[in-house]
Amino acid sequence: MKHMDYHHLDHVKDQQTSKKTLWITLFITLFFTIVEIIGGLLSNSLALLSDSAHMISDVLALALSMTAIYMASRKPNSRYTFGYLRFEIVASFLNGAALAVIAVGIFIEGIKRMISPQEVDLKLMLTIASIGLLVNIILTVVLSRSSKEEENLNIQSALWHFIGDLLSSVGVILSAIIIYFTGFTLFDPLISMVIGAIIFTGGAKIIRASYLIIMESVPEKFDLEEIRQDIAQVEGVEDVHEMHLWAISTDHYSITAHVFVREDIQPFCVILAVNETLKNKYGINHSTIQVEHAQFHDHGEYGKMFLQQREGQLSS
């Protein structure tokens, strides 16, 4: 009989709420992106075109996020033993990078427009921007509700996209009003550069969050030393070392640790107690605990120091 690897966790994410939310958001965004591009070209408004560029990035980001959610629902196999959860983070990183690139492009075009100002169709610009404001308010509310129900970095990055879009729409409307009353077309590229700054900030935050997971850093919600102390409190545990805690994806964490235990303690009981502590207090369901004895397992200077310290405590 062919051997099948067993995983006590599925290493999958079947997020129906996130999936439904992204489909709705994707279709609405795609439709309005087309409207905004046409409006931006007809009105010759850089602020409107900058916002439409952001909307294009939203469409791509949402499509990538949808792919990530479907990939995350696939079961692990002999090659991808953690499943495809990490694709969510790769998608988020690419989304953040795309935002940063678009922001730089908007800055460059904004500088060109400031050097050579151009006339804009204020009525069309204001009409499209007002519709955009309404659309972005609706999408921001939808994504905000979804993010509260299910933790997903792609939903969070999409939410940041649309918060940026919401501010962008406000900026375009303000730009149109200011130009109407003052006649200074300079405000159009100026507002577009403000929009670019918002986009870049959002992209940088998404890049940082995904980068930390890709680098397998300790998630910010956990204190490694606090966890070490809690494991050390388990009966029979004398020392905790070689600890690693990282996120496979949002809300999916793994931890490994080596523990020195007393010789008179049943090691399986120690492992069970440590696993229960990690699960109940920290919500960490995937833990690998290696039980060791310093006298039998070579740990170099660290092991010698531990044994000396223990002998000193026993003699005193």
Side-chain angles (χ1 to χ4, degrees), residues 30-49:
L30 180 59
F31 173 76
F32 184 69
T33 299
I34 296 170
V35 172
E36 199 168 41
I37 290 172
I38 295 171
L41 291 172
L42 293 176
S43 66
N44 197 33
S45 168
L46 180 60
L48 205 54
L49 286 171

PDB file of all heavy atoms in Angstrom, residues 30-49:
ATOM      1  N   LEU A  30     -13.690  46.883 -11.750  1.00  0.00           N
ATOM      2  CA  LEU A  30     -13.369  46.777 -13.176  1.00  0.00           C
ATOM      3  C   LEU A  30     -14.267  47.701 -13.995  1.00  0.00           C
ATOM      4  O   LEU A  30     -13.790  48.415 -14.896  1.00  0.00           O
ATOM      5  CB  LEU A  30     -13.534  45.331 -13.648  1.00  0.00           C
ATOM      6  CG  LEU A  30     -13.220  45.061 -15.125  1.00  0.00           C
ATOM      7  CD1 LEU A  30     -11.781  45.437 -15.453  1.00  0.00           C
ATOM      8  CD2 LEU A  30     -13.489  43.599 -15.460  1.00  0.00           C
ATOM      9  N   PHE A  31     -15.567  47.701 -13.666  1.00  0.00           N
ATOM     10  CA  PHE A  31     -16.509  48.552 -14.402  1.00  0.00           C
ATOM     11  C   PHE A  31     -16.152  50.029 -14.232  1.00  0.00           C
ATOM     12  O   PHE A  31     -16.067  50.771 -15.213  1.00  0.00           O
ATOM     13  CB  PHE A  31     -17.936  48.299 -13.909  1.00  0.00           C
ATOM     14  CG  PHE A  31     -18.951  49.257 -14.491  1.00  0.00           C
ATOM     15  CD1 PHE A  31     -19.387  49.117 -15.800  1.00  0.00           C
ATOM     16  CD2 PHE A  31     -19.448  50.306 -13.731  1.00  0.00           C
ATOM     17  CE1 PHE A  31     -20.311  50.002 -16.351  1.00  0.00           C
ATOM     18  CE2 PHE A  31     -20.367  51.195 -14.267  1.00  0.00           C
ATOM     19  CZ  PHE A  31     -20.806  51.044 -15.578  1.00  0.00           C
ATOM     20  N   PHE A  32     -15.920  50.440 -12.982  1.00  0.00           N
ATOM     21  CA  PHE A  32     -15.655  51.860 -12.766  1.00  0.00           C
ATOM     22  C   PHE A  32     -14.284  52.275 -13.287  1.00  0.00           C
ATOM     23  O   PHE A  32     -14.077  53.424 -13.668  1.00  0.00           O
ATOM     24  CB  PHE A  32     -15.774  52.220 -11.285  1.00  0.00           C
ATOM     25  CG  PHE A  32     -15.600  53.698 -11.030  1.00  0.00           C
ATOM     26  CD1 PHE A  32     -16.566  54.596 -11.462  1.00  0.00           C
ATOM     27  CD2 PHE A  32     -14.454  54.191 -10.419  1.00  0.00           C
ATOM     28  CE1 PHE A  32     -16.413  55.960 -11.270  1.00  0.00           C
ATOM     29  CE2 PHE A  32     -14.292  55.546 -10.224  1.00  0.00           C
ATOM     30  CZ  PHE A  32     -15.270  56.438 -10.644  1.00  0.00           C
ATOM     31  N   THR A  33     -13.336  51.356 -13.316  1.00  0.00           N
ATOM     32  CA  THR A  33     -12.010  51.667 -13.870  1.00  0.00           C
ATOM     33  C   THR A  33     -12.132  52.087 -15.332  1.00  0.00           C
ATOM     34  O   THR A  33     -11.507  53.068 -15.762  1.00  0.00           O
ATOM     35  CB  THR A  33     -11.072  50.447 -13.756  1.00  0.00           C
ATOM     36  OG1 THR A  33     -10.912  50.096 -12.381  1.00  0.00           O
ATOM     37  CG2 THR A  33      -9.702  50.759 -14.346  1.00  0.00           C
ATOM     38  N   ILE A  34     -12.930  51.340 -16.087  1.00  0.00           N
ATOM     39  CA  ILE A  34     -13.139  51.674 -17.497  1.00  0.00           C
ATOM     40  C   ILE A  34     -13.775  53.056 -17.634  1.00  0.00           C
ATOM     41  O   ILE A  34     -13.362  53.875 -18.456  1.00  0.00           O
ATOM     42  CB  ILE A  34     -14.027  50.602 -18.170  1.00  0.00           C
ATOM     43  CG1 ILE A  34     -13.305  49.247 -18.159  1.00  0.00           C
ATOM     44  CG2 ILE A  34     -14.380  51.003 -19.604  1.00  0.00           C
ATOM     45  CD1 ILE A  34     -14.179  48.077 -18.574  1.00  0.00           C
ATOM     46  N   VAL A  35     -14.788  53.320 -16.780  1.00  0.00           N
ATOM     47  CA  VAL A  35     -15.465  54.620 -16.801  1.00  0.00           C
ATOM     48  C   VAL A  35     -14.475  55.742 -16.486  1.00  0.00           C
ATOM     49  O   VAL A  35     -14.457  56.791 -17.148  1.00  0.00           O
ATOM     50  CB  VAL A  35     -16.628  54.649 -15.781  1.00  0.00           C
ATOM     51  CG1 VAL A  35     -17.219  56.064 -15.666  1.00  0.00           C
ATOM     52  CG2 VAL A  35     -17.718  53.661 -16.183  1.00  0.00           C
ATOM     53  N   GLU A  36     -13.625  55.519 -15.468  1.00  0.00           N
ATOM     54  CA  GLU A  36     -12.710  56.563 -15.029  1.00  0.00           C
ATOM     55  C   GLU A  36     -11.599  56.829 -16.047  1.00  0.00           C
ATOM     56  O   GLU A  36     -11.181  57.979 -16.233  1.00  0.00           O
ATOM     57  CB  GLU A  36     -12.102  56.197 -13.672  1.00  0.00           C
ATOM     58  CG  GLU A  36     -11.513  57.390 -12.942  1.00  0.00           C
ATOM     59  CD  GLU A  36     -11.191  57.083 -11.501  1.00  0.00           C
ATOM     60  OE1 GLU A  36     -10.676  55.985 -11.221  1.00  0.00           O
ATOM     61  OE2 GLU A  36     -11.444  57.948 -10.648  1.00  0.00           O
ATOM     62  N   ILE A  37     -11.129  55.800 -16.719  1.00  0.00           N
ATOM     63  CA  ILE A  37     -10.101  55.981 -17.758  1.00  0.00           C
ATOM     64  C   ILE A  37     -10.661  56.834 -18.906  1.00  0.00           C
ATOM     65  O   ILE A  37     -10.012  57.786 -19.365  1.00  0.00           O
ATOM     66  CB  ILE A  37      -9.608  54.624 -18.306  1.00  0.00           C
ATOM     67  CG1 ILE A  37      -8.790  53.889 -17.242  1.00  0.00           C
ATOM     68  CG2 ILE A  37      -8.765  54.819 -19.566  1.00  0.00           C
ATOM     69  CD1 ILE A  37      -8.428  52.469 -17.618  1.00  0.00           C
ATOM     70  N   ILE A  38     -11.867  56.495 -19.342  1.00  0.00           N
ATOM     71  CA  ILE A  38     -12.504  57.261 -20.421  1.00  0.00           C
ATOM     72  C   ILE A  38     -12.728  58.707 -19.995  1.00  0.00           C
ATOM     73  O   ILE A  38     -12.431  59.655 -20.735  1.00  0.00           O
ATOM     74  CB  ILE A  38     -13.846  56.616 -20.822  1.00  0.00           C
ATOM     75  CG1 ILE A  38     -13.610  55.229 -21.429  1.00  0.00           C
ATOM     76  CG2 ILE A  38     -14.604  57.507 -21.818  1.00  0.00           C
ATOM     77  CD1 ILE A  38     -14.864  54.421 -21.662  1.00  0.00           C
ATOM     78  N   GLY A  39     -13.222  58.875 -18.749  1.00  0.00           N
ATOM     79  CA  GLY A  39     -13.453  60.223 -18.226  1.00  0.00           C
ATOM     80  C   GLY A  39     -12.176  61.017 -18.084  1.00  0.00           C
ATOM     81  O   GLY A  39     -12.136  62.223 -18.395  1.00  0.00           O
ATOM     82  N   GLY A  40     -11.105  60.369 -17.649  1.00  0.00           N
ATOM     83  CA  GLY A  40      -9.818  61.042 -17.479  1.00  0.00           C
ATOM     84  C   GLY A  40      -9.234  61.495 -18.803  1.00  0.00           C
ATOM     85  O   GLY A  40      -8.682  62.593 -18.915  1.00  0.00           O
ATOM     86  N   LEU A  41      -9.381  60.652 -19.842  1.00  0.00           N
ATOM     87  CA  LEU A  41      -8.868  61.004 -21.166  1.00  0.00           C
ATOM     88  C   LEU A  41      -9.672  62.139 -21.796  1.00  0.00           C
ATOM     89  O   LEU A  41      -9.109  63.058 -22.390  1.00  0.00           O
ATOM     90  CB  LEU A  41      -8.895  59.771 -22.074  1.00  0.00           C
ATOM     91  CG  LEU A  41      -7.904  58.647 -21.725  1.00  0.00           C
ATOM     92  CD1 LEU A  41      -8.172  57.423 -22.572  1.00  0.00           C
ATOM     93  CD2 LEU A  41      -6.461  59.119 -21.893  1.00  0.00           C
ATOM     94  N   LEU A  42     -10.993  62.069 -21.631  1.00  0.00           N
ATOM     95  CA  LEU A  42     -11.853  63.106 -22.214  1.00  0.00           C
ATOM     96  C   LEU A  42     -11.705  64.454 -21.517  1.00  0.00           C
ATOM     97  O   LEU A  42     -11.750  65.507 -22.156  1.00  0.00           O
ATOM     98  CB  LEU A  42     -13.321  62.652 -22.172  1.00  0.00           C
ATOM     99  CG  LEU A  42     -13.696  61.464 -23.068  1.00  0.00           C
ATOM    100  CD1 LEU A  42     -15.147  61.066 -22.859  1.00  0.00           C
ATOM    101  CD2 LEU A  42     -13.451  61.813 -24.540  1.00  0.00           C
ATOM    102  N   SER A  43     -11.506  64.413 -20.171  1.00  0.00           N
ATOM    103  CA  SER A  43     -11.390  65.659 -19.412  1.00  0.00           C
ATOM    104  C   SER A  43      -9.958  66.178 -19.360  1.00  0.00           C
ATOM    105  O   SER A  43      -9.702  67.303 -18.932  1.00  0.00           O
ATOM    106  CB  SER A  43     -11.908  65.459 -17.983  1.00  0.00           C
ATOM    107  OG  SER A  43     -11.086  64.554 -17.271  1.00  0.00           O
ATOM    108  N   ASN A  44      -8.992  65.319 -19.743  1.00  0.00           N
ATOM    109  CA  ASN A  44      -7.567  65.673 -19.709  1.00  0.00           C
ATOM    110  C   ASN A  44      -7.095  65.977 -18.285  1.00  0.00           C
ATOM    111  O   ASN A  44      -6.219  66.809 -18.066  1.00  0.00           O
ATOM    112  CB  ASN A  44      -7.277  66.877 -20.614  1.00  0.00           C
ATOM    113  CG  ASN A  44      -5.792  67.010 -20.939  1.00  0.00           C
ATOM    114  OD1 ASN A  44      -5.097  65.996 -21.046  1.00  0.00           O
ATOM    115  ND2 ASN A  44      -5.292  68.229 -21.065  1.00  0.00           N
ATOM    116  N   SER A  45      -7.691  65.268 -17.302  1.00  0.00           N
ATOM    117  CA  SER A  45      -7.327  65.473 -15.892  1.00  0.00           C
ATOM    118  C   SER A  45      -6.313  64.427 -15.438  1.00  0.00           C
ATOM    119  O   SER A  45      -6.594  63.228 -15.448  1.00  0.00           O
ATOM    120  CB  SER A  45      -8.575  65.393 -15.008  1.00  0.00           C
ATOM    121  OG  SER A  45      -8.217  65.313 -13.643  1.00  0.00           O
ATOM    122  N   LEU A  46      -5.132  64.884 -15.031  1.00  0.00           N
ATOM    123  CA  LEU A  46      -4.115  63.961 -14.529  1.00  0.00           C
ATOM    124  C   LEU A  46      -4.542  63.351 -13.205  1.00  0.00           C
ATOM    125  O   LEU A  46      -4.281  62.182 -12.928  1.00  0.00           O
ATOM    126  CB  LEU A  46      -2.765  64.689 -14.363  1.00  0.00           C
ATOM    127  CG  LEU A  46      -1.620  63.810 -13.828  1.00  0.00           C
ATOM    128  CD1 LEU A  46      -1.344  62.643 -14.753  1.00  0.00           C
ATOM    129  CD2 LEU A  46      -0.350  64.639 -13.612  1.00  0.00           C
ATOM    130  N   ALA A  47      -5.207  64.154 -12.366  1.00  0.00           N
ATOM    131  CA  ALA A  47      -5.672  63.639 -11.077  1.00  0.00           C
ATOM    132  C   ALA A  47      -6.631  62.475 -11.295  1.00  0.00           C
ATOM    133  O   ALA A  47      -6.569  61.449 -10.610  1.00  0.00           O
ATOM    134  CB  ALA A  47      -6.352  64.753 -10.279  1.00  0.00           C
ATOM    135  N   LEU A  48      -7.518  62.625 -12.266  1.00  0.00           N
ATOM    136  CA  LEU A  48      -8.484  61.565 -12.578  1.00  0.00           C
ATOM    137  C   LEU A  48      -7.779  60.354 -13.181  1.00  0.00           C
ATOM    138  O   LEU A  48      -8.080  59.204 -12.835  1.00  0.00           O
ATOM    139  CB  LEU A  48      -9.545  62.101 -13.539  1.00  0.00           C
ATOM    140  CG  LEU A  48     -10.917  61.411 -13.543  1.00  0.00           C
ATOM    141  CD1 LEU A  48     -11.507  61.375 -12.156  1.00  0.00           C
ATOM    142  CD2 LEU A  48     -11.843  62.114 -14.514  1.00  0.00           C
ATOM    143  N   LEU A  49      -6.829  60.600 -14.066  1.00  0.00           N
ATOM    144  CA  LEU A  49      -6.062  59.504 -14.662  1.00  0.00           C
ATOM    145  C   LEU A  49      -5.194  58.801 -13.619  1.00  0.00           C
ATOM    146  O   LEU A  49      -4.998  57.585 -13.667  1.00  0.00           O
ATOM    147  CB  LEU A  49      -5.188  60.028 -15.809  1.00  0.00           C
ATOM    148  CG  LEU A  49      -5.924  60.381 -17.106  1.00  0.00           C
ATOM    149  CD1 LEU A  49      -4.992  61.082 -18.085  1.00  0.00           C
ATOM    150  CD2 LEU A  49      -6.526  59.128 -17.739  1.00  0.00           C
TER     151      LEU A  49
END
